[in-house]
Amino acid sequence: MKSMLLTAAGLAVAGPACAQEIKPLAEARLRYEHVEQDGLAQDAEALTVRVRAGVQAATGPWTALIEAQGTMAVVDDYYDGLHGAATRPLVADPENVALYRAQLQYKARGVAVTAGRQRIALDDERFVGNVAFRQNAQTFDAVRVELTPVKGFKADVSYAWSARTIWGVEGNAARQAAVGGDNVFANLSWASPAGTLTGFAYLVDQDEASVQGYRLSSQSYGVRLAGAQKFSAAAKLSYQASYARQSEYGGNPNDYRTGYYLLDAGLEVSGFKLGGGYEVLGADAGAALTSFQFPLGTNFKFQGWADKFLTTPPDGVRDLYGSIGWGTKALGPFSGVSLQAAYHRFESDRLVRHYGDEIDLLASGKLGKTTVSLRYADYSADRFATDTRKLWLQLDWNL
């Protein structure tokens, strides 16, 4: 498998000599993050820069790609999860220089096969995602096969032998640079008139003793429906529903069974948006890591941006949330302007105890090739974690 990665990387480098199309890849991100957390005497101040650069070469049905990334801390008054003592809040963006992607893809009518280090983001990224918000993101050493034999049907199956984590090349102990294992991600979807109906099986094999003693290995099976209905040119209703069951897998010494479900809907009328939903991460008997877990998901997208529930508590989580927003194509010098506010009420699934509440705010817009965003999260603790406030100012530039 490692030789396949080297082959993909070599072809990406050599490809331009014989390619019909060569495309440079370049992007950069500058982010300021401030965190105040009760229980810690000092706040976190992080000013980080992330740069990615590479090249993509294509000829006929073949495409080769190689891309490197580097993250630098201009202001490093924060705990990055790897270095020093946790006397300040965690900002999970350690400095890093690494190979981000190196892949070879064959794509023809009805089939696409991708081998090498790649991004894999399935459905809403709840189970398998790229964790794109973090500077170092998450990729997989994998082989992915996507088949569309007839219009509306798709089979998407990946075998990943390594998850390249957000902790970068210096990752260690429970926060390793890469977590090996025999992971299988399988999706079968149908684009029905009501929305895309997907059946899925995610077999997560975290084959590293230092990563929670194998206790993040799990098998999840479920179904998801996501769709939208337009009432007029200015009004649209979007919705999604998901259900899954999870149990131990691979070397996981725990013996548990638990469930997950999500109900979510949003109404958009002339740029104004109103949404809400209910997400439940079930618990078994209340032991650690026997509740529904998402070790490979883009968890920042769910259950509030304060990151209090990246690892599901032993008694599970019930998240009742609502949001309001507004968007417009242009406002002054900005395009694609968006404003959003969300409220979350968190409870345990087992014993139904109030964990806390969170308010999240976001404003974003685009200036040329640069996206500017201002984000804020305020978690008010009751019976779980501690009061935490986070502020981000971020600039994203793409070639």
Side-chain angles (χ1 to χ4, degrees):
M1 294 300 185
K2 291 182 179 179
S3 63
M4 186 179 297
L5 280 176
L6 294 174
T7 301
L11 285 170
V13 174
C18 58
Q20 296 176 354
E21 180 182 351
I22 300 172
K23 178 183 177 181
L25 305 173
E27 61 177 88
R29 173 189 286 170
L30 174 67
R31 179 162 68 214
Y32 169 74
E33 181 169 346
H34 173 83
V35 186
E36 301 174 10
Q37 182 174 316
D38 283 10
L40 295 176
Q42 296 177 297
D43 297 343
E45 303 281 350
L47 180 62
T48 55
V49 180
R50 199 272 317 281
V51 177
R52 291 183 185 144
V55 64
Q56 175 178 294
T59 179
W62 296 94
T63 302
L65 179 154
I66 188 167
E67 186 177 24
Q69 70 175 3
T71 299
M72 179 179 67
V74 180
V75 177
D76 61 355
D77 295 331
Y78 65 98
Y79 176 54
D80 68 5
L82 302 177
H83 307 98
T87 57
R88 295 178 186 267
L90 172 67
V91 176
D93 292 323
E95 293 189 305
N96 180 48
V97 176
L99 178 67
Y100 180 59
R101 289 189 292 168
Q103 66 184 54
L104 179 64
Q105 183 181 74
Y106 173 84
K107 190 172 184 179
R109 185 176 180 180
V111 60
V113 181
T114 308
R117 187 163 300 173
Q118 58 189 283
R119 287 192 292 241
I120 300 179
L122 301 176
D123 296 324
D124 58 354
E125 301 189 53
R126 194 49 168 128
F127 288 82
V128 181
N130 181 227
V131 198
F133 181 78
R134 299 271 47 116
Q135 297 287 46
N136 297 320
Q138 174 176 264
T139 55
F140 297 89
D141 294 342
V143 176
R144 182 180 184 183
V145 180
E146 300 168 81
L147 302 174
T148 51
V150 295
K151 185 178 179 180
F153 285 89
K154 182 179 180 181
D156 188 335
V157 180
S158 300
Y159 167 68
W161 58 93
S162 179
R164 312 298 300 191
T165 75
I166 65 171
W167 303 110
V169 294
E170 294 186 8
N172 59 78
R175 293 168 172 162
Q176 295 191 10
V179 181
D182 296 317
N183 303 279
V184 178
F185 315 135
N187 269 16
L188 182 62
S189 62
W190 170 50
S192 75
T196 300
L197 181 64
T198 304
F200 56 83
Y202 299 127
L203 311 182
V204 176
D205 182 20
Q206 301 271 276
D207 193 18
E208 303 285 349
S210 60
V211 182
Q212 302 290 1
Y214 310 112
R215 287 175 173 82
L216 292 179
S217 296
S218 65
Q219 50 185 330
S220 302
Y221 305 92
V223 63
R224 180 175 185 266
L225 174 68
Q229 300 293 329
K230 277 192 173 184
F231 302 123
S232 68
K236 181 177 72 172
L237 175 68
S238 59
Y239 47 84
Q240 58 177 318
S242 185
Y243 175 79
R245 295 293 296 175
Q246 185 179 92
S247 60
E248 77 282 353
Y249 182 69
N252 191 337
N254 286 333
D255 182 7
Y256 74 100
R257 303 287 186 278
T258 188
Y260 164 85
Y261 67 85
L262 168 71
L263 297 172
D264 180 278
L267 178 64
E268 181 176 351
V269 179
S270 299
F272 290 92
K273 302 175 184 178
L274 184 66
Y278 189 52
E279 185 181 39
V280 176
L281 284 59
D284 188 65
L289 300 176
T290 61
S291 50
F292 211 106
Q293 303 292 330
F294 302 93
L296 299 180
T298 300
N299 296 341
F300 178 81
K301 292 176 60 177
F302 303 87
Q303 299 186 326
W305 300 330
D307 281 348
K308 294 302 176 180
F309 301 98
L310 296 181
T311 298
T312 308
D315 289 330
V317 180
R318 297 181 182 181
D319 177 15
L320 179 64
Y321 59 89
S323 65
I324 187 170
W326 174 78
T328 183
K329 292 182 179 179
L331 182 65
F334 291 92
S335 62
V337 174
S338 177
L339 303 176
Q340 178 184 322
Y343 167 77
H344 296 261
R345 177 178 173 83
F346 300 110
E347 295 179 336
S348 65
D349 181 53
R350 181 176 175 272
L351 305 179
V352 194
R353 300 186 311 275
H354 182 226
Y355 283 150
D357 303 278
E358 182 168 327
I359 295 174
D360 296 320
L361 306 173
L362 173 65
S364 67
K366 196 168 184 180
L367 280 171
K369 294 183 178 181
T370 302
T371 300
V372 182
S373 60
L374 179 65
R375 191 185 301 256
Y376 177 75
D378 188 340
Y379 176 78
S380 178
D382 185 1
R383 298 185 182 182
F384 183 81
T386 56
D387 291 356
T388 301
R389 293 153 297 280
K390 296 188 177 186
L391 175 70
W392 300 267
L393 176 60
Q394 181 170 310
L395 304 177
D396 286 283
W397 174 87
N398 287 276
L399 182 64

